[in-house]
Amino acid sequence: GGVGVRMMVPLIDLLNHSGDQERGAPGPSAEGRVAATENVEWRLRPPPGGDEGGVWYMELVTLNSVADEEELVLSYGERSNDDFLLHYGFVPPRNPHDDFVLFEDWDAASEWLRTTEGLPGYAVEAAGQVVEVVYREPDEVIRQQPTERQRNRLRLRRRGNRVDPRLKAGVEAAYGGDAAAAQAALGRRCRQLLEGYATSLGGDLRFLCAQAGEVEEQEHALEALRRHYSTVGGPDPVLQVRPEGEEPCDAKAVEPAVLLAVTYRAYKKMILADFLFRGQSNYGVKR
């Protein structure tokens, strides 16, 4: 809760994060089972009596019944895992607001369409004109990004497998308005990115299941995620454990930073895998 500013507030800054979280078994229905798990929110209040020279103050408001000795937790915001890791040093469990940057901007996407997809220059140029129109009215999530560089990034969002509307419009235009061809092309992009990792999603989840403590296992539902992603793509090697290059599951005394990095990486791969193997039904659907 509160207004869009960054500040440090004594006592309130001691509260841990607990925000929106996917619940239940992984899979297509999980995005429909997102629960808000915080029990308080902060609200910025103006000076009493409308005194313009007075002091503003902040209060915590409970959102539901809180039991004796129950920890107070609030949401740090609906943001990607990048933001949580950069500013707070952790990766929240099953965050529905995470995303993956497919391209840094439309120029990078255009180059990919030409060189990797092999589309003719005139088709890509025409697509660029379509993207310019969409850029004039970006959606609310894009406008909330704090810098121009971040606003230009073309993302795939975890919730609903939603592709950035500018990228969706541009790729469809490049393929002559063929949505199915655009969907397939973006699926190839997801596969390309998955194959670019030194480890597989299956390998990362196997490592985390072996190394994480009981609390981490329960919070992230690691074993359920491992089982789900070991079958969602069938025998497709892009998700399966690779013979070489995976993190050793029997390593002793793994540093917490390593567990954190592998957790972050695994969630990013899940976004790509979800689009690649079940994106057909959700492509471009606004949630």
Side-chain angles (χ1 to χ4, degrees), residues 171-247:
V171 176
E172 286 186 2
Y175 276 92
D178 189 334
Q183 157 99 24
L186 291 171
R188 290 190 290 273
R189 175 60 175 170
C190 290
R191 178 178 294 277
Q192 178 188 34
L193 292 165
L194 281 168
E195 291 174 343
Y197 282 103
T199 60
S200 67
L201 176 55
D204 284 352
L205 290 173
R206 183 184 68 166
F207 171 80
L208 291 171
C209 286
Q211 292 293 337
E214 183 177 351
V215 173
E216 290 84 358
E217 156 59 30
Q218 291 178 354
E219 285 183 341
H220 294 273
L222 292 171
E223 181 57 33
L225 290 171
R226 187 196 65 78
R227 290 196 303 267
H228 173 71
Y229 286 102
S230 68
T231 58
V232 69
D236 195 304
V238 76
L239 298 186
Q240 304 308 318
V241 177
R242 299 170 186 168
E244 299 178 358
E246 303 287 5
E247 301 281 357

Side-chain angles (χ1 to χ4, degrees), residues 23 79 96 140 172 174 250 253:
R23 293 297 183 88
R79 55 187 73 195
E140 182 62 27
E172 286 186 2
D250 56 353

Side-chain angles (χ1 to χ4, degrees), residues 65-142:
S65 298
V66 178
D68 289 345
E69 304 298 325
E70 181 180 352
E71 180 184 5
L72 299 181
V73 289
L74 54 75
S75 172
Y76 293 179
E78 299 177 354
R79 55 187 73 195
S80 74
N81 286 353
D82 305 67
D83 221 34
F84 281 107
L85 185 58
L86 176 63
H87 295 291
Y88 305 110
F90 68 89
V91 174
R94 302 185 68 182
N95 175 17
H97 306 294
D98 197 15
D99 59 46
F100 195 105
V101 177
L102 295 177
F103 298 99
E104 280 295 312
D105 52 29
W106 176 249
D107 287 343
S110 297
E111 183 65 17
W112 169 76
L113 287 169
R114 290 190 186 91
T115 59
T116 303
E117 290 295 294
L119 295 184
Y122 68 84
V124 177
E125 281 188 27
Q129 295 174 5
V130 173
V131 172
E132 285 183 8
V133 173
V134 181
Y135 258 107
R136 294 174 193 159
E137 292 293 335
D139 67 14
E140 182 62 27
V141 175
I142 296 170

Side-chain angles (χ1 to χ4, degrees), residues 30-66:
E31 63 200 28
R33 298 194 304 270
V34 173
T37 60
E38 68 270 25
N39 57 18
V40 297
E41 67 178 12
W42 63 265
R43 295 177 183 173
L44 195 60
R45 301 297 194 187
D51 180 6
E52 294 184 1
V55 177
W56 287 66
Y57 67 99
M58 185 176 290
E59 66 180 10
L60 286 178
V61 180
T62 56
L63 301 175
N64 44 52
S65 298
V66 178

